[in-house]
Each structure stands twice: as structure tokens, then as C-alpha cells.
């Protein structure tokens, strides 16, 4: 997947209650194959860092990206509190997107990080139109995630975790010192490319420009989860997923094997692929292999979806 642009066939916003959800479609939704709907991470990130999945449209699979409410091109609601930003809100937004695009009867979901948990929760109620599910670099449980974050943090180079702990104890997580210490973790377990790709930087800066959702539901960093999701898990619903599921993770991923394993143990029909040279973003870190794995998986669905 070379670094090139993939112009959308259509883009715009869709009404979601009183608000708007931004979306873009690459490829032809009427071409016969189910579209791949891409659910980004965060919560509070944007579609940008996943934009190169649009290359799959060249393989005959239409690709739908969207920005979840509160970020990117969708409605920003900086005055809303924790009671507004809920898992149920984002599940309802996904349902609304599928319905308004007219694809609710035939689609595949790709969920990355938090988006993988959201997509798994959606899939667990066995929607009739869902043909397949990809869970990419996602933990099945935030309590598991937090346990593993402690292990990864303690393995950072000398003094970095001590700095993080000191600043977190005082609540000083917005300054330059915390950012620089945080970046030590990110370059090891989130994106190992140097420099960081443009699309990843775009999403990173979107969170920085409006951190409302990220800070409320997650916290100040990937590894200091003190938001409303800190006790959330999808482990209890995974056995209800009834479609072929592809699980992806990186060898150096912040989503460690312990956090991913429940998907493999509890989803009845699944395959788990590990990207040996990647951390949290294999689609950017190993793009050619990623495209091959995704194309093979989507092709395996063709007999029952075309």
C-alpha cells in the first residue's frame, strides 16, 4: 500500500439526531460486494490514520470511513459531560450510519483499537446484514489493558516511567515534560515508524485540538486510562459473534497478547494474525502484508456475500 491519496467517490455528513456524522466512501457502494466500514480508535480520534485502507477499494471492496461524533468533521460538542459520551451513543451512531447509507443489510466491519471493541459489541447482537468482522489491535477489556500497561511502562528506558508516575500523581499531564515521556511509550508500542506518517499525525493532532471525548472516556494518554471506560469490557458478549472474524495485532503492540487473547478464545469462528514488525498500526507499519491479509480475508467472505 504505497503512500498515495485515495479520492473518495462521495463524502459529506449525515444527520444523527441533532448532530452530524462526517463520512467518506471510496469505491462504488452499488458494485455488488459488501462495503468495509472502518471504525476508528480513540475514543476521540478520527478516520485519518486509517485512510490507507481505502486501497481495498481497488481490490473491489468499497470502503466507508467516518469520524465518530465529537471529532474530525463530525459535530464537536465540547460542553457535553461524561453522561453524554457513552458506548451506547457510539453504537447508535454506527447503526445510524449504516442505515442512512443504505448498507445495513450487507456490510463488513473493521474496528481498530477502541473501534475494535465497539465493532465487537455491535457484532455480538448478530445484526442480519453483518458478513464479517475485523478486530485490529484491540483489547477485549480495559482492566486487562491497564494491567498490561503497567508491565509495558515498567519496561521503558530508565527513569521514563518514574517521570510519568510523578506527573500523573500531580495531575500535570498536559505539559511538555509529560508529552516527551509519553512519546517514549508511543514510539515503542503505538507507531515504530520514524518519522510518524502524515495520516497518523493528522489524527494525533485532531485529538490534541479537541480532546473532549478522549480525555472523558480514556484519559490523558494510551496508558493512563482514568476515564469512563476504565472498567469496560466486551468479554461477556464475544461468544455471541456469529460471523467469521479476523483478529490482528502487532508483535510490539500496546494491545499485548494477553489483552487480545479473549477474542481468540471466545469468538467461535476466528483467525488471529500477528504482524512481527509492527506495534499498534500494522496497516501503516507493514502496509503490503496488511493489504495481502485483508484481501485474503475479504476474499474468503466472497462466497457468502457476493
Amino acid at each position: 500500500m504505497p503512500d498515495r491519496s485515495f479520492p473518495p467517490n462521495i463524502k459529506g455528513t449525515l444527520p444523527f439526531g441533532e448532530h452530524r456524522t462526517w463520512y467518506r466512501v471510496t469505491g462504488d457502494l452499488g458494485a455488488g460486494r459488501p462495503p468495509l466500514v472502518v471504525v476508528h480508535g480513540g475514543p476521540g480520534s478520527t478516520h485519518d490514520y486509517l485512510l490507507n485502507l481505502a486501497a481495498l477499494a481497488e481490490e473491489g471492496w468499497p470502503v466507508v470511513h467516518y469520524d465518530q461524533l465529537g471529532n474530525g468533521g463530525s459535530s464537536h460538542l465540547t460542553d457535553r459531560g461524561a453522561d453524554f459520551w457513552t458506548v451506547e451513543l457510539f453504537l447508535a451512531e454506527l447503526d445510524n450510519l449504516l442505515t442512512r447509507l443504505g448498507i445495513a443489510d450487507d456490510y463488513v466491519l473493521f474496528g481498530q483499537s477502541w473501534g475494535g471493541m465497539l465493532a465487537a459489541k455491535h457484532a455480538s447482537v448478530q445484526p442480519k446484514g453483518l458478513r464479517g468482522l475485523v478486530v485490529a489491535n484491540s483489547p477485549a477489556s480495559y482492566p486487562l489493558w491497564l494491567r498490561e500497561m503497567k508491565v509495558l511502562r515498567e519496561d521503558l528506558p530508565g527513569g521514563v516511567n518514574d517521570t510519568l508516575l510523578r506527573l500523573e500523581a500531580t495531575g500535570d499531564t498536559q505539559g511538555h515534560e509529560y508529552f516527551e515521556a509519553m512519546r517514549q511509550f508511543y514510539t515503542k508500542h503505538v507507531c515504530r515508524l520514524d518519522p510518524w506518517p502524515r495520516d497518523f499525525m493528522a489524527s494525533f493532532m485532531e485529538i490534541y485540538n479537541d480532546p473532549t471525548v478522549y480525555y472523558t472516556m480514556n484519559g490523558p494518554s494510551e496508558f493512563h486510562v482514568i476515564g469512563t471506560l476504565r472498567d469496560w469490557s466486551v468479554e461477556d458478549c464475544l461468544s455471541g459473534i456469529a460471523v467469521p472474524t479476523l483478529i490482528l495485532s502487532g508483535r510490539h503492540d500496546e494491545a499485548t497478547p494477553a489483552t487480545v487473547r479473549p477474542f481468540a478464545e471466545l469468538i467461535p469462528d476466528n483467525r488471529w494474525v500477528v504482524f512481527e514488525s509492527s506495534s499498534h498500526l500494522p496497516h501503516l507499519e507493514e502496509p503490503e502484508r496488511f493489504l495481502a491479509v485483508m484481501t485474503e480475508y475479504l476474499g474468503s467472505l466472497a462466497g457468502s456475500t457476493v
Side-chain angles (χ1 to χ4, degrees):
M1 293 163 70
D3 183 13
R4 64 182 189 276
S5 61
F6 300 96
N9 290 55
I10 56 172
K11 65 178 180 178
T13 63
L14 297 168
F16 173 46
E18 300 175 354
H19 315 301
R20 308 290 298 187
T21 299
W22 181 93
Y23 75 98
R24 58 168 278 161
V25 179
T26 311
D28 182 2
L29 289 180
R33 285 181 167 175
L36 181 74
V37 179
V38 180
V39 186
H40 66 68
S45 186
T46 62
H47 78 285
D48 300 88
Y49 76 101
L50 292 163
L51 194 54
N52 73 343
L53 270 71
L56 288 162
E58 297 180 347
E59 307 297 322
W61 302 89
V63 179
V64 177
H65 288 87
Y66 75 104
D67 286 337
Q68 293 163 26
L69 192 65
N71 291 90
S74 296
S75 299
H76 288 240
L77 303 162
T78 57
D79 60 337
R80 301 301 176 95
D83 58 337
F84 179 80
W85 301 111
T86 64
V87 172
E88 291 71 25
L89 172 74
F90 292 106
L91 287 170
E93 183 183 33
L94 176 56
D95 287 340
N96 181 73
L97 176 82
L98 297 171
T99 299
R100 289 190 176 275
L101 288 180
I103 59 175
D105 61 347
D106 194 25
Y107 63 101
V108 179
L109 275 188
F110 178 101
Q112 201 274 339
S113 198
W114 135 266
M117 298 181 74
L118 193 69
K121 187 71 173 177
H122 172 93
S124 71
V125 302
Q126 301 183 9
K128 291 183 179 179
L130 181 64
R131 307 303 178 208
L133 172 67
V134 183
V135 176
N137 317 99
S138 304
S141 156
Y142 275 98
L144 273 178
W145 176 270
L146 286 168
R147 188 186 74 191
E148 290 296 290
M149 289 306 101
K150 184 175 186 296
V151 174
L152 296 180
R153 288 172 55 137
E154 289 175 349
D155 193 45
L156 290 172
V160 172
N161 194 38
D162 290 338
T163 298
L164 292 168
L165 289 170
R166 171 173 55 82
L167 296 171
E168 288 162 1
T170 62
D172 185 14
T173 57
Q174 306 305 311
H176 179 73
E177 187 179 13
Y178 189 82
F179 177 84
E180 287 303 316
M182 179 181 75
R183 191 177 173 99
Q184 295 287 320
F185 180 96
Y186 279 48
T187 56
K188 188 173 184 180
H189 297 298
V190 180
C191 184
R192 295 167 68 86
L193 298 176
D194 184 16
W196 281 352
R198 178 186 58 193
D199 290 346
F200 176 58
M201 283 301 301
S203 285
F204 192 86
M205 293 309 298
E206 287 279 3
I207 295 175
Y208 178 81
N209 290 335
D210 184 355
T212 303
V213 181
Y214 189 78
Y215 285 2
T216 299
M217 298 184 75
N218 186 84
S221 69
E222 294 291 281
F223 48 79
H224 188 45
V225 181
I226 56 175
T228 57
L229 291 178
R230 62 187 176 274
D231 297 319
W232 188 51
S233 171
V234 295
E235 290 176 283
D236 61 346
C237 71
L238 296 179
S239 62
I241 296 175
V243 295
T245 300
L246 176 63
I247 303 164
L248 306 177
S249 65
R251 180 61 64 194
H252 310 283
D253 207 328
E254 60 178 346
T256 66
T259 71
V260 177
R261 191 168 294 116
F263 291 112
E265 293 177 344
L266 297 172
I267 297 175
D269 180 5
N270 76 80
R271 176 188 174 214
W272 186 358
V273 176
V274 178
F275 290 78
E276 295 294 335
S277 300
S278 294
S279 54
H280 199 52
L281 306 172
H283 63 285
L284 295 175
E285 295 168 290
E286 295 181 64
E288 290 81 10
R289 185 178 179 223
F290 176 85
L291 180 61
V293 169
M294 284 294 299
T295 302
E296 179 187 7
Y297 168 73
L298 292 170
S300 73
L301 301 177
S304 59
T305 58
V306 176

